[in-house]
Amino acid sequence: MLQVASERIANAVRDVPDFPKPGIIFKDITPLLSDGALFRESIDLFLRACEPLKPDKIVGIDARGFLFGSAVAYELGAGFVPVRKKGKLPFQTKETSYTLEYGEATVEMHIDAIAPGERIVLVDDLLATGGTSAAAAKLIAQAGGILLEAQFLIELEFLEGRKLLEPAPVRSFLKY
Ligand code: AMP
């Protein structure tokens, strides 16, 4: 199984200093998305990691988690569930608040999005402090879902975000 991003993928991630706040180096994946071969290669990383886990549903985190998560769900024939920033989902939701690398936020999920016992893989573009994905993991647990693994294209290892997701397994393809 291909478990590490290629150098071509790594080179397509652009560092934007001081965005959205001074001191933050934003990992901009838009150059990667706009290259057809590299976008496919990065989706394939998630796909190969997800396939053996046989998830019922992929949960993607607003907004870049949707880009990878929905493609993986399509290929696996799995369902896709969006975890969104507060105020975006139209039906009844469960919400949870958390601290971000650069601020505070609340995420929501529809109350009927996951049934008890469903097998879930959580997908996002980047793991920083882990607050966002831990909040999503909490919503999955509250719904009775089984979090098989949390997967990220990029992990900022020095922020130790994976600790917040314990005991769920965490996989990332590009580490800084
Ligand atoms: P965190 O909750 O700190 O793990 O932050 C993860 C979320 O914020 C993900 O949805 C990322 O897309 C975004 N994010 C946090 N830090 C960065 C960064 N340095 N570059 C790009 N995206 C980031």
Side-chain angles (χ1 to χ4, degrees):
M1 193 197 298
L2 184 58
Q3 288 187 327
V4 178
S6 68
E7 214 165 297
R8 270 162 39 86
I9 289 183
N11 290 337
V13 176
R14 172 167 55 199
D15 280 2
V16 181
D18 300 323
F19 182 88
K21 285 188 176 170
I24 301 292
I25 298 174
F26 193 87
K27 298 288 182 189
D28 176 18
I29 60 165
T30 59
L32 172 70
L33 300 174
S34 68
D35 182 312
L38 292 183
F39 188 27
R40 171 172 282 177
E41 202 179 307
S42 49
I43 289 166
D44 285 346
L45 288 167
F46 285 100
L47 190 57
R48 290 199 192 96
C50 274
E51 225 162 13
L53 299 172
K54 302 197 186 317
D56 298 306
K57 288 177 179 170
I58 306 295
V59 170
I61 297 178
D62 197 346
R64 290 178 294 274
F66 299 171
L67 304 170
F68 300 106
S70 61
V72 169
Y74 171 81
E75 278 292 330
L76 294 181
F80 178 79
V81 173
V83 164
R84 299 214 63 184
K85 287 161 192 154
K86 191 175 168 63
K88 301 284 186 185
L89 288 170
F91 187 58
Q92 284 169 269
T93 61
K94 281 263 188 195
E95 66 173 51
T96 178
S97 299
Y98 62 99
T99 318
L100 196 69
E101 192 188 6
Y102 42 74
E104 283 245 323
T106 300
V107 285
E108 295 181 314
M109 189 175 80
H110 274 152
I111 53 162
D112 59 354
I114 293 173
E118 281 188 319
R119 297 166 59 80
I120 308 295
V121 173
L122 180 62
V123 166
D124 201 4
D125 68 326
L126 184 142
L127 176 66
T129 64
T132 315
S133 41
K138 201 166 151 190
L139 292 173
I140 293 165
Q142 280 174 359
I146 300 161
L147 180 56
L148 304 168
E149 191 162 281
Q151 300 182 355
F152 305 88
L153 183 67
I154 300 166
E155 178 178 4
L156 305 183
E157 282 187 302
F158 57 94
L159 293 172
E160 300 185 329
R162 60 171 62 220
K163 282 190 182 164
L164 273 192
L165 281 159
E166 280 171 359
V170 173
R171 187 190 299 264
S172 66
F173 307 108
L174 193 52
K175 299 174 203 293
Y176 292 92

